Short mmCIF file of all heavy atoms in Angstrom, two decimals:
data_model
loop_
_atom_site.label_atom_id
_atom_site.label_comp_id
_atom_site.label_asym_id
_atom_site.label_seq_id
_atom_site.Cartn_x
_atom_site.Cartn_y
_atom_site.Cartn_z
N ARG A 411 -33.37 -64.48 4.61
CA ARG A 411 -31.91 -64.63 4.77
C ARG A 411 -31.26 -63.43 4.07
O ARG A 411 -31.03 -63.44 2.85
CB ARG A 411 -31.40 -65.95 4.19
CG ARG A 411 -31.73 -67.13 5.09
CD ARG A 411 -31.04 -68.40 4.66
NE ARG A 411 -29.57 -68.34 4.70
CZ ARG A 411 -28.84 -68.40 5.82
NH1 ARG A 411 -29.43 -68.47 7.01
NH2 ARG A 411 -27.53 -68.38 5.75
N ILE A 412 -30.99 -62.41 4.86
CA ILE A 412 -30.50 -61.14 4.32
C ILE A 412 -29.08 -60.90 4.81
O ILE A 412 -28.83 -60.79 6.02
CB ILE A 412 -31.41 -59.98 4.76
CG1 ILE A 412 -32.85 -60.23 4.28
CG2 ILE A 412 -30.89 -58.65 4.21
CD1 ILE A 412 -33.87 -59.26 4.84
N GLY A 413 -28.15 -60.86 3.88
CA GLY A 413 -26.76 -60.60 4.22
C GLY A 413 -26.48 -59.12 4.33
O GLY A 413 -27.20 -58.28 3.78
N ILE A 414 -25.41 -58.79 5.05
CA ILE A 414 -24.99 -57.39 5.18
C ILE A 414 -23.51 -57.27 4.85
O ILE A 414 -22.69 -58.07 5.31
CB ILE A 414 -25.30 -56.83 6.59
CG1 ILE A 414 -24.83 -55.37 6.69
CG2 ILE A 414 -24.68 -57.70 7.68
CD1 ILE A 414 -25.27 -54.67 7.97
N ILE A 415 -23.18 -56.29 4.04
CA ILE A 415 -21.79 -55.96 3.73
C ILE A 415 -21.50 -54.62 4.40
O ILE A 415 -21.96 -53.57 3.94
CB ILE A 415 -21.55 -55.89 2.21
CG1 ILE A 415 -21.83 -57.25 1.56
CG2 ILE A 415 -20.11 -55.44 1.92
CD1 ILE A 415 -21.70 -57.24 0.04
N PRO A 443 -24.93 -64.58 12.26
CA PRO A 443 -23.61 -63.95 12.11
C PRO A 443 -22.90 -64.33 10.82
O PRO A 443 -22.08 -63.55 10.31
CB PRO A 443 -22.84 -64.45 13.34
CG PRO A 443 -23.90 -64.81 14.34
CD PRO A 443 -25.05 -65.32 13.52
N SER A 444 -23.19 -65.51 10.26
CA SER A 444 -22.50 -65.93 9.04
C SER A 444 -22.91 -65.09 7.83
O SER A 444 -22.24 -65.10 6.80
CB SER A 444 -22.78 -67.41 8.75
OG SER A 444 -24.12 -67.61 8.33
N LEU A 445 -24.03 -64.34 7.96
CA LEU A 445 -24.51 -63.52 6.86
C LEU A 445 -23.91 -62.12 6.86
O LEU A 445 -24.37 -61.24 6.13
CB LEU A 445 -26.04 -63.43 6.91
CG LEU A 445 -26.79 -64.74 6.68
CD1 LEU A 445 -28.30 -64.51 6.77
CD2 LEU A 445 -26.43 -65.36 5.34
N SER A 446 -22.90 -61.91 7.69
CA SER A 446 -22.23 -60.61 7.77
C SER A 446 -20.83 -60.71 7.17
O SER A 446 -20.05 -61.60 7.53
CB SER A 446 -22.13 -60.15 9.23
OG SER A 446 -21.38 -58.96 9.33
N ALA A 447 -20.52 -59.80 6.25
CA ALA A 447 -19.20 -59.77 5.63
C ALA A 447 -18.59 -58.39 5.79
O ALA A 447 -19.20 -57.39 5.37
CB ALA A 447 -19.28 -60.14 4.15
N ASP A 448 -17.42 -58.32 6.42
CA ASP A 448 -16.71 -57.05 6.57
C ASP A 448 -15.86 -56.83 5.32
O ASP A 448 -14.93 -57.59 5.06
CB ASP A 448 -15.81 -57.11 7.81
CG ASP A 448 -15.15 -55.77 8.12
OD1 ASP A 448 -15.08 -54.92 7.21
OD2 ASP A 448 -14.70 -55.58 9.26
N TRP A 459 -15.49 -58.82 -3.27
CA TRP A 459 -14.95 -59.95 -2.50
C TRP A 459 -15.78 -60.24 -1.26
O TRP A 459 -15.87 -61.41 -0.83
CB TRP A 459 -13.49 -59.70 -2.15
CG TRP A 459 -12.61 -59.79 -3.35
CD1 TRP A 459 -11.89 -58.80 -3.93
CD2 TRP A 459 -12.40 -60.96 -4.15
NE1 TRP A 459 -11.23 -59.26 -5.05
CE2 TRP A 459 -11.53 -60.59 -5.21
CE3 TRP A 459 -12.87 -62.27 -4.10
CZ2 TRP A 459 -11.12 -61.49 -6.19
CZ3 TRP A 459 -12.46 -63.18 -5.08
CH2 TRP A 459 -11.59 -62.78 -6.11
N ALA A 460 -16.44 -59.23 -0.70
CA ALA A 460 -17.36 -59.49 0.41
C ALA A 460 -18.55 -60.31 -0.09
O ALA A 460 -19.02 -61.24 0.59
CB ALA A 460 -17.84 -58.18 1.03
N MET A 461 -19.04 -59.99 -1.28
CA MET A 461 -20.12 -60.76 -1.89
C MET A 461 -19.68 -62.20 -2.16
O MET A 461 -20.46 -63.15 -1.94
CB MET A 461 -20.55 -60.08 -3.19
CG MET A 461 -21.76 -60.71 -3.86
SD MET A 461 -23.26 -60.51 -2.87
CE MET A 461 -24.50 -60.92 -4.12
N ASP A 462 -18.45 -62.35 -2.59
CA ASP A 462 -17.92 -63.69 -2.85
C ASP A 462 -17.98 -64.55 -1.58
O ASP A 462 -18.38 -65.72 -1.62
CB ASP A 462 -16.48 -63.58 -3.36
CG ASP A 462 -15.89 -64.92 -3.73
OD1 ASP A 462 -16.29 -65.48 -4.76
OD2 ASP A 462 -15.05 -65.43 -2.95
N LYS A 463 -17.61 -63.96 -0.45
CA LYS A 463 -17.65 -64.69 0.83
C LYS A 463 -19.08 -65.11 1.17
O LYS A 463 -19.32 -66.27 1.56
CB LYS A 463 -17.09 -63.80 1.94
CG LYS A 463 -17.22 -64.40 3.33
CD LYS A 463 -16.79 -63.42 4.41
CE LYS A 463 -17.08 -64.00 5.80
NZ LYS A 463 -16.73 -63.04 6.87
N LEU A 464 -20.02 -64.20 1.02
CA LEU A 464 -21.41 -64.51 1.38
C LEU A 464 -22.03 -65.55 0.46
O LEU A 464 -22.75 -66.44 0.92
CB LEU A 464 -22.25 -63.22 1.35
CG LEU A 464 -21.95 -62.18 2.44
CD1 LEU A 464 -22.73 -60.90 2.17
CD2 LEU A 464 -22.28 -62.73 3.82
N MET A 465 -21.74 -65.46 -0.82
CA MET A 465 -22.40 -66.34 -1.78
C MET A 465 -21.76 -67.72 -1.85
O MET A 465 -22.29 -68.62 -2.52
CB MET A 465 -22.43 -65.68 -3.16
CG MET A 465 -23.20 -64.36 -3.19
SD MET A 465 -24.87 -64.46 -2.49
CE MET A 465 -25.70 -65.38 -3.79
N ARG A 466 -20.66 -67.93 -1.17
CA ARG A 466 -20.05 -69.25 -1.10
C ARG A 466 -20.52 -70.03 0.13
O ARG A 466 -20.08 -71.17 0.35
CB ARG A 466 -18.53 -69.13 -1.12
CG ARG A 466 -17.99 -68.66 -2.46
CD ARG A 466 -16.49 -68.70 -2.56
NE ARG A 466 -16.03 -68.14 -3.82
CZ ARG A 466 -16.05 -68.78 -4.99
NH1 ARG A 466 -16.51 -70.02 -5.06
NH2 ARG A 466 -15.61 -68.19 -6.09
N LEU A 467 -21.40 -69.43 0.93
CA LEU A 467 -21.97 -70.14 2.08
C LEU A 467 -22.85 -71.30 1.60
O LEU A 467 -23.47 -71.22 0.54
CB LEU A 467 -22.82 -69.19 2.92
CG LEU A 467 -22.09 -68.05 3.65
CD1 LEU A 467 -23.11 -67.08 4.25
CD2 LEU A 467 -21.17 -68.61 4.73
N GLY A 468 -22.90 -72.35 2.40
CA GLY A 468 -23.76 -73.48 2.06
C GLY A 468 -25.22 -73.06 1.96
O GLY A 468 -25.94 -73.48 1.05
N ASN A 469 -25.64 -72.22 2.89
CA ASN A 469 -27.01 -71.68 2.88
C ASN A 469 -26.89 -70.18 2.66
O ASN A 469 -26.94 -69.38 3.59
CB ASN A 469 -27.72 -71.99 4.19
CG ASN A 469 -29.19 -71.61 4.17
OD1 ASN A 469 -29.74 -71.29 3.11
ND2 ASN A 469 -29.82 -71.63 5.33
N ARG A 470 -26.71 -69.81 1.41
CA ARG A 470 -26.37 -68.42 1.10
C ARG A 470 -27.58 -67.50 1.23
O ARG A 470 -28.73 -67.95 1.21
CB ARG A 470 -25.78 -68.32 -0.30
CG ARG A 470 -26.74 -68.69 -1.41
CD ARG A 470 -25.97 -68.87 -2.70
NE ARG A 470 -26.87 -69.13 -3.83
CZ ARG A 470 -26.45 -69.57 -5.01
NH1 ARG A 470 -25.16 -69.80 -5.22
NH2 ARG A 470 -27.32 -69.77 -5.99
N PRO A 471 -27.35 -66.21 1.33
CA PRO A 471 -28.47 -65.25 1.46
C PRO A 471 -29.23 -65.10 0.15
O PRO A 471 -28.69 -65.31 -0.93
CB PRO A 471 -27.76 -63.95 1.84
CG PRO A 471 -26.38 -64.09 1.29
CD PRO A 471 -26.04 -65.54 1.40
N ALA A 473 -30.79 -62.11 -0.27
CA ALA A 473 -30.75 -60.65 -0.45
C ALA A 473 -29.55 -60.08 0.29
O ALA A 473 -29.08 -60.68 1.27
CB ALA A 473 -32.04 -60.01 0.06
N ILE A 474 -29.08 -58.94 -0.19
CA ILE A 474 -27.90 -58.28 0.39
C ILE A 474 -28.20 -56.82 0.64
O ILE A 474 -28.72 -56.12 -0.23
CB ILE A 474 -26.69 -58.37 -0.58
CG1 ILE A 474 -26.32 -59.81 -0.90
CG2 ILE A 474 -25.48 -57.61 -0.02
CD1 ILE A 474 -25.78 -60.60 0.28
N PHE A 475 -27.83 -56.35 1.84
CA PHE A 475 -27.81 -54.91 2.12
C PHE A 475 -26.36 -54.48 2.22
O PHE A 475 -25.60 -54.99 3.05
CB PHE A 475 -28.54 -54.59 3.43
CG PHE A 475 -28.29 -53.18 3.90
CD1 PHE A 475 -28.65 -52.09 3.13
CD2 PHE A 475 -27.65 -52.94 5.12
CE1 PHE A 475 -28.40 -50.79 3.55
CE2 PHE A 475 -27.39 -51.65 5.55
CZ PHE A 475 -27.76 -50.57 4.77
N TRP A 488 -20.20 -59.14 -8.98
CA TRP A 488 -19.94 -60.55 -8.67
C TRP A 488 -21.03 -61.43 -9.28
O TRP A 488 -20.76 -62.49 -9.84
CB TRP A 488 -19.89 -60.77 -7.15
CG TRP A 488 -19.47 -62.16 -6.78
CD1 TRP A 488 -18.22 -62.60 -6.48
CD2 TRP A 488 -20.33 -63.31 -6.68
NE1 TRP A 488 -18.23 -63.95 -6.21
CE2 TRP A 488 -19.52 -64.42 -6.33
CE3 TRP A 488 -21.69 -63.52 -6.86
CZ2 TRP A 488 -20.03 -65.70 -6.15
CZ3 TRP A 488 -22.21 -64.81 -6.70
CH2 TRP A 488 -21.39 -65.88 -6.34
#
Side-chain angles (χ1 to χ4, degrees):
R411 285 190 63 75
I412 302 171
I414 180 171
I415 299 176
S444 71
L445 295 179
S446 175
D448 186 341
W459 289 114
M461 185 66 165
D462 184 73
K463 174 186 174 183
L464 291 173
M465 299 308 287
R466 291 188 185 281
L467 293 171
N469 187 11
R470 65 193 184 193
I474 301 293
F475 167 61
W488 187 95

